[in-house]
Amino acid sequence: MRLWPTAPSARARHVAARAAALATRVLGGGTDAPAAGALAARLLDPGRLARYDGLALRVRRGMGERHGDRRVPGRPQPSGIEIEAHGAYAPGDDLRHLDWNALGRLDALLVRRFTAEREIVVHVLLDASASLAVPVVDDKLGSACELAMALAYVALSTGDALRVAILRGDGIAEDGAAEVGGTTSVRRPVASDGPASRIFCQRASVARVAELLAAVAPQGSFGLGAALAAYAARYRTPGLALVISDFLMEPDEIERGVLALRSRGFETHLLHVIGAGELDPTRVFTRGVLVDVESGAQRPIALTAPALARYHAALGAHCDALAALAARVEAGYGRLVAGGDVAELLTGPLVRAGLVRRR
């Protein structure tokens, strides 16, 4: 079912109206409101979202303890709907689950075990440090937000719970909407010692997710590894962690965070957003003074042929190191060139990587 079908239902029209109202509200405040409103409208574009219908997130680990709709094979439990396996009867087992046919054929007391049904919480963790804002012409932030929106939409469309966390270098945590009894409330950015967000549970929450993402303003510098480790310590229930970043840091720093998530039982995927100007810096400049937006360090540079050769070698080695890191710690890895087609990433590389499947 599409959020905005060809012939919209009353429910779909209501959701679309809420989305428009939210975009208008974003447009109404702050000096960056026009850009935020344009991003909100882009994230809520019905044509874009419709391309994600029919997709679901594949979760192999990260099963929570709460009962839910997601069936998780490989973890047979005493009760459920779908029979997965049989086990030897032990005192205390529910006699209603005895397999009487097996008793008649094999003269053995066997009890039926069922496929586990658990709630899966999808954690979308967006790096919003200052580097995501440069090069400006690449719009890495917009592409990262669009990717986060796509994954959030897929999760909510299939009944998974969703937590969105904005990881920023200034110690500010942007809080999502808490949904209780069908009502929603939005908490504004608050000072915090780490990332924080509420759970989104309803499909109509895509509008709230878009508002949260459209308000992101990259700034500051932080260690992604430390941020992910703090997140894992704060949210200890296993889930699916989708880390969206430009990963402009040492792979060892990233590995620290991924291992912290895995130690808590999270299934982790690294989603790398890279700018076209980073792949080919001549698109942006040929000579000048480079300024690190996070540290303030400056370095004059001229893009001579030898300098470009060294740069491309270093960039290639860094990307290869990220892929090797993901393989080493059993995490997924996908790459999006800013401005590229997010739907093609979801239906191509991320399907092959085992993160996305077709329903």
Side-chain angles (χ1 to χ4, degrees), residues 20 29 49 195:
L49 296 181

Side-chain angles (χ1 to χ4, degrees), residues 127-129 167-170 220-225 227-228 249 253 294:
D127 171 4
S129 56
L167 310 182
R168 292 171 54 175
D170 57 4
S221 173
F222 77 109
L224 181 62
L228 295 180
M249 62 206 71
E253 170 74 12
E294 296 188 5

Side-chain angles (χ1 to χ4, degrees), residues 184-270:
T184 60
S185 62
V186 176
R187 290 175 56 189
R188 295 303 174 187
V190 294
S192 172
D193 59 357
S197 61
R198 299 278 181 169
I199 291 287
F200 295 99
C201 298
Q202 301 174 359
R203 180 170 176 167
S205 297
V206 292
R208 297 292 183 183
V209 175
E211 182 184 32
L212 174 62
L213 293 173
V216 173
Q219 60 189 74
S221 173
F222 77 109
L224 181 62
L228 295 180
Y231 192 90
R234 188 169 187 172
Y235 302 106
R236 302 187 178 189
T237 302
L240 175 63
L242 307 176
V243 184
I244 303 174
S245 173
D246 56 10
F247 296 120
L248 291 178
M249 62 206 71
E250 293 297 326
D252 289 348
E253 170 74 12
I254 303 166
E255 184 170 4
R256 172 191 172 190
V258 175
L259 291 177
L261 290 169
R262 282 188 54 82
S263 70
R264 296 293 186 187
F266 282 85
E267 179 178 343
T268 307
H269 291 261
L270 304 177

Side-chain angles (χ1 to χ4, degrees), residues 20-226:
L22 285 171
T24 300
R25 190 167 68 191
V26 171
L27 282 167
T31 57
D32 295 328
L39 180 56
R42 171 179 163 188
L43 297 178
L44 290 168
D45 177 50
R48 291 177 185 268
L49 296 181
R51 299 182 66 187
Y52 311 130
D53 288 332
L55 300 179
L57 300 177
R58 187 188 300 275
V59 184
R60 290 161 292 190
R61 295 184 297 274
M63 180 178 70
E65 297 301 323
R66 295 177 56 182
H67 182 80
D69 297 330
R70 172 81 75 149
R71 294 184 181 180
V72 186
R75 304 281 187 88
Q77 60 183 20
S79 62
I81 298 175
E82 183 178 300
I83 298 174
E84 181 174 318
H86 288 77
Y89 173 80
D93 284 341
D94 193 334
L95 295 177
R96 292 174 299 175
H97 297 150
L98 275 173
D99 191 328
W100 298 105
N101 291 328
L103 177 62
R105 294 195 312 269
L106 306 174
D107 193 25
L109 286 176
L110 298 177
V111 291
R112 293 184 288 267
R113 302 296 184 188
F114 301 86
T115 300
E117 297 174 342
R118 292 288 188 271
E119 176 187 71
I120 298 295
V121 180
V122 177
H123 300 254
V124 175
L125 310 179
L126 176 63
D127 171 4
S129 56
S131 65
L132 210 69
V134 293
V136 175
V137 295
D138 284 350
D139 190 24
K140 289 194 296 183
L141 173 63
S143 292
C145 289
E146 188 180 340
L147 177 56
M149 186 72 213
L151 295 168
Y153 178 82
V154 171
L156 292 172
S157 296
T158 53
D160 291 327
L162 173 72
R163 189 186 297 279
V164 179
I166 310 302
L167 310 182
R168 292 171 54 175
D170 57 4
I172 297 296
E174 300 196 47
D175 208 312
E179 300 192 356
V180 180
T183 63
T184 60
S185 62
V186 176
R187 290 175 56 189
R188 295 303 174 187
V190 294
S192 172
D193 59 357
S197 61
R198 299 278 181 169
I199 291 287
F200 295 99
C201 298
Q202 301 174 359
R203 180 170 176 167
S205 297
V206 292
R208 297 292 183 183
V209 175
E211 182 184 32
L212 174 62
L213 293 173
V216 173
Q219 60 189 74
S221 173
F222 77 109
L224 181 62

